[in-house]
Each structure stands twice: as C-alpha cells, then as structure tokens.
Amino acid sequence: MTNVHELNYLKEKIEDLKKEGVYRKLPILEGGNEAEIILNGEKVINLSSNNYLGFANHPRLKKAAIEAVEKYGAGAGAVRTIVGNMSIHEELEEILTRFKREEAAFIYQSGFNCNAGTIQAITEKGDLIISDELNHASIIDGVRLSKADKKIFKHSDIDDLERVLKENRDKYRNALIITDGVFSMDGDIAKLPEIVDLAEKYEAMTYVDDAHGSGVLGESGRGTVDHFGLHGRVDFSIGTLSKAIGVVGGYVAGSKTMYEWLNHRARPVLFSTTMPPAAAGAIIEALKMLMESTEYTDRLWDNAKYFKEKLGTLGFDTGHSETPITPVIIGEEAKTMEFSQKLLENGVFVSAIVFPTVPRGTGRVRCMVTAGHTKEQLDRAVDTFKKVGEEMRIL
Ligand SMILES: *Cc1c(COP(=O)(O)O)cnc(C)c1O
C-alpha cells in the first residue's frame, strides 16, 4: 500500500512539468528591486520588474515605511472591522481618493484580493458579468466566486461586446462589463471610451482593472480612466499598489455608495488582516510624490520610447504596445526560452513568456522599462539584444 502522505499524485504532475520543459526554479534577488540587480549571484540589468517608477527601493518610501513602523508597529493586529483599521489606513484611502479624482477609494491587501473580493460583492444571481477574454487571472478567479452568470467577449472587440449585450442584456437585472485597463502581455490599452459608451447604451456598469495603468497612464499616473477623461463614467476603477506604486496592496476607486457596501461585504476585508502600516505609510509617500510632480511618469515614458525606438531600428518585432511594456516577439517557444537565457548569460534579465500564457507561436521576451533605468543601462541592454539576436539569427 502506498503512503498517502507521499503526495504521489502531485509528484506525478511535477514529473509531467519536467517532461514538458516548463519546470522552473525561482530566480533569487539579493537586495532591492533596482534597474541593476544581483540575481543568482550575478550583476544584471533588470528588464523584468513591474517597478515602473523605481519606487520599490526609493529612499522617500523607505523612510515613510520606517516612520509608520515606529508609530503604528509591524502589523495591523486584526481585520479592519475589529480593530485593525488604523488612522494611517484612513489617511491612505483619503489621499487615494484625491489622487484618483473619485468620490471614494477602498483598499485591499493586494490587487489580487481586490478582484477576488469586489466582483463577488457587487454582483449576485440574476446578474450578468461580461469579461474580456484576455482579462487577468485574478479577474477570472473573482468572476468564478460570483453567483452571477458569465459571458466572454473577444479581446478588445467592441462589436463582439455589443453582440453579447444585445443577445443577453434583457435577461438580467444588472450587467457588469469587466476589462483590464492595460493588457500586460502586449501593452495595449482597453478601448475604454467605446466600452463606456456601449455600457451606457445598454445600462451596464463598468469595471476596469488598471494594475498596469496605475502610475503609468493619465496625469501623473492617475490611470486609464484619467487618460481618457472618463471620470464619473466608470463605476469600479481598480488599481494595484504593488506595481508602479512600488509597495503592496490594491484598491477600488469609485462612488461613496460602492465604498459603503464594500465596507460591509468585501470578504478579504472582513476575514483577512489589513495591510501593514509600513506599506500604508510608503504608499502615502508615493502618492504625494506623484501629486507633487510628473517627473517620475515623464522619465518612465521617455525611457520606454527611447528603448522601443532603438529595438525597432535594429529590426526586432516589438508588437503593438501603447505603453512602456515592450514585448520583443520571437515566435517559437523553445527559441524564445533560449533567447531569454542567452540575454541573461550576457547580463540582461528579461523573462520569456510563452504558450499557454500567450498564443502558441507568439513567444516573446517582455521588457519592462522603468523610470529608474539610465540611458547608459538601456544602451547596454540594446547592445546585448543586438549581439544575441545576431548570434541566434533572429536579426
Ligand atoms: C498584477 C495584476 C493584479 C494583481 O495585483 P497584485 O497587487 O500584485 O496582487 C491584478 N490585476 C492585473 C490586471 C494585474 O496585472
């Protein structure tokens, strides 16, 4: 008899991963997340982080985190509904509300938690959720937790969205259209003005997950809604505090009514301890920095444009990104993995993204340029792309 504690069914699946060539070890970063990092003991240029503004290891954020620890301690000590709701959390929501130019903002421990908690709280049986086919995994999971019915529309296809609305809207009480603001694999922006127009035509609500738009698009990084001037017309505006903002956490910005309801019914807030004070303190500082000046977002866009242009001139296929996300499309899966590996051996860390994360035959390395990169670092990265590209006969 086999021993149940050996978890043989998992061992078999792990063997399958190895056979498929997708088993991996996590890279280990020694020190802070910077433009250049020590990875597995080697110094490399980092083109893989979501630390768009270079805030993750910024002295002002670190100082604010330390001050919050001194005043409030290491942990919140309870869920918000009991006694974990500190004045620093209230302060964070207040400044987020102003930054997002909405009536209210409600924080979660992560962007993932925000989708897992919000979607199920704002929908119920008899409602319909309509979701873009390329929406993030946390939206997919969030939708699964809802008792509403679900339909998918083709990626950024407004005609297909209208077809779904036309065929189904009458059968449901409420309808909620969900889309990423910026799609992280290709760097394309949702067609939000068209989506919002359709939503209003069919009396549907809109929900935009702006994880890759927050701190990137709009005035000083206020996000996709601000970028398109759609304040007041998107009901639920989700952001993460873990990417451009450089810390950890998520939020939904919108109306006071939304805030009141989530405050009573969002399960990650009722059943999970709120974010630590250090995180709240650092985020408040980050938002102050963005509201003081556009220098960080300006530098991000300037660097991204510089890097994209140089790669394009060399002849790489950088896809149709409209944001600092810069995919370099290689195609075949194994070749893409090899390209990423060779870049790393030559001092540039940029992760390979292949099927099933993206369609088969569209393997790519996804470069994340940040405000923290110097032109010299970007030049060195471009030279490495050229060298490896020529060696592998991609160029
Ligand atoms: C990264 C991401 C999240 C998760 O955010 P975390 O704060 O890292 O949990 C949610 N939605 C989208 C679209 C993302 O890209």
Side-chain angles (χ1 to χ4, degrees):
M1 223 175 60
T2 58
N3 181 347
V4 68
H5 301 304
E6 281 176 14
L7 306 181
N8 282 327
Y9 73 107
L10 293 182
K11 284 184 183 148
E12 282 164 23
K13 287 180 202 276
I14 291 167
E15 279 313 307
D16 290 344
L17 293 180
K18 288 181 179 167
K19 270 183 224 146
E20 289 161 24
V22 293
Y23 182 85
R24 50 142 183 75
K25 288 204 167 69
L26 296 176
I28 299 169
L29 179 57
E30 280 153 41
N33 194 316
E34 289 279 347
E36 266 186 276
I37 51 174
I38 308 289
L39 192 76
N40 303 327
E42 303 281 339
K43 190 170 183 193
V44 296
I45 297 173
N46 176 14
L47 284 176
S48 284
S49 82
N50 295 318
N51 183 24
Y52 287 107
L53 299 173
F55 280 1
N57 198 31
H58 195 286
R60 280 183 65 176
L61 272 75
K62 290 201 278 194
K63 183 162 173 281
I66 291 162
E67 284 169 8
V69 168
E70 297 291 357
K71 182 164 178 196
Y72 294 93
V79 299
R80 282 182 90 179
T81 46
I82 302 176
V83 72
N85 186 41
M86 295 167 157
S87 49
I88 199 165
H89 298 116
E90 294 279 323
E91 192 188 330
L92 170 55
E93 289 186 335
E94 192 272 322
I95 190 171
L96 253 180
T97 302
R98 275 193 286 132
F99 179 66
K100 294 296 288 184
R101 299 179 166 140
E102 299 287 342
E103 278 178 29
F106 188 70
I107 56 164
Y108 288 87
Q109 303 87 342
S110 74
F112 196 107
N113 259 356
C114 179
N115 283 325
T118 305
I119 298 169
Q120 60 164 320
I122 58 173
T123 55
E124 59 191 357
K125 198 169 157 46
D127 293 343
L128 176 66
I129 297 172
I130 311 172
S131 183
D132 185 289
E133 66 178 341
L134 293 190
N135 277 344
H136 188 258
S138 58
I139 294 178
I140 297 172
D141 287 10
V143 171
R144 280 188 188 135
L145 291 170
S146 164
K147 293 197 173 72
D149 282 353
K150 299 109 202 184
K151 303 273 180 208
I152 307 294
F153 66 98
K154 289 195 195 121
H155 175 52
S156 276
D157 185 331
I158 301 302
D159 292 338
D160 198 46
L161 173 59
E162 176 146 35
R163 177 192 60 78
V164 175
L165 281 162
K166 210 180 256 167
E167 285 171 9
N168 300 283
R169 180 64 189 95
D170 288 353
K171 298 178 227 157
Y172 295 94
R173 197 163 73 113
N174 297 313
L176 178 69
I177 302 169
I178 306 187
T179 180
D180 278 17
V182 172
F183 290 85
S184 62
M185 293 303 144
D186 288 300
D188 53 321
I189 304 174
K191 293 179 185 149
L192 218 48
E194 286 101 319
I195 292 175
V196 167
D197 281 346
L198 262 192
E200 288 173 354
K201 179 173 166 193
Y202 288 89
E203 291 185 27
M205 298 177 291
T206 41
Y207 182 110
V208 178
D209 180 350
D210 218 10
H212 284 275
S214 320
V216 176
L217 284 169
E219 189 195 346
S220 227
R222 283 173 168 81
T224 313
V225 173
D226 191 75
H227 170 75
F228 286 119
L230 291 170
H231 292 288
R233 296 179 66 198
V234 170
D235 303 279
F236 305 95
S237 185
I238 280 67
T240 177
L241 301 164
S242 342
K243 290 179 174 137
I245 304 301
V247 191
V248 72
Y251 61 87
V252 46
S255 66
K256 287 205 170 95
T257 307
M258 167 215 76
Y259 185 98
E260 260 182 284
W261 177 247
L262 292 177
N263 203 2
H264 288 86
R265 280 296 178 273
R267 291 168 74 82
V269 174
L270 305 182
F271 299 108
S272 183
T273 299
T274 190
M275 69 166 63
I283 297 161
I284 291 168
E285 189 66 16
L287 295 171
K288 282 184 184 162
M289 286 159 70
L290 288 176
M291 296 206 302
E292 276 164 18
S293 146
T294 60
E295 84 173 83
Y296 305 98
T297 45
D298 289 347
R299 206 179 316 138
L300 166 66
W301 282 90
D302 183 49
N303 277 348
K305 189 161 162 272
Y306 181 82
F307 186 71
K308 242 183 238 181
E309 268 171 20
K310 291 225 154 179
L311 285 182
T313 307
L314 285 177
F316 282 106
D317 175 4
T318 58
H320 54 271
S321 171
E322 302 165 88
T323 61
I325 296 171
T326 307
V328 175
I329 296 158
I330 305 298
E332 203 233 321
E333 285 66 34
K335 198 170 181 185
T336 309
M337 304 292 284
E338 189 191 341
F339 186 63
S340 162
Q341 184 56 39
K342 287 233 160 82
L343 287 173
L344 183 59
E345 286 162 15
N346 285 276
V348 177
F349 181 53
V350 49
S351 38
I353 298 178
V354 297
F355 180 82
T357 309
V358 293
R360 212 183 277 284
T362 70
R364 77 241 359 232
V365 294
R366 187 184 53 167
C367 307
M368 307 296 271
V369 179
T370 74
H373 288 94
T374 62
K375 291 280 187 320
E376 185 274 325
Q377 288 166 332
L378 295 176
D379 285 343
R380 257 193 292 144
V382 169
D383 287 345
T384 308
F385 267 78
K386 180 167 185 283
K387 174 171 178 266
V388 175
E390 281 168 357
E391 272 170 23
M392 286 183 63
R393 293 167 191 276
I394 291 163
L395 289 178

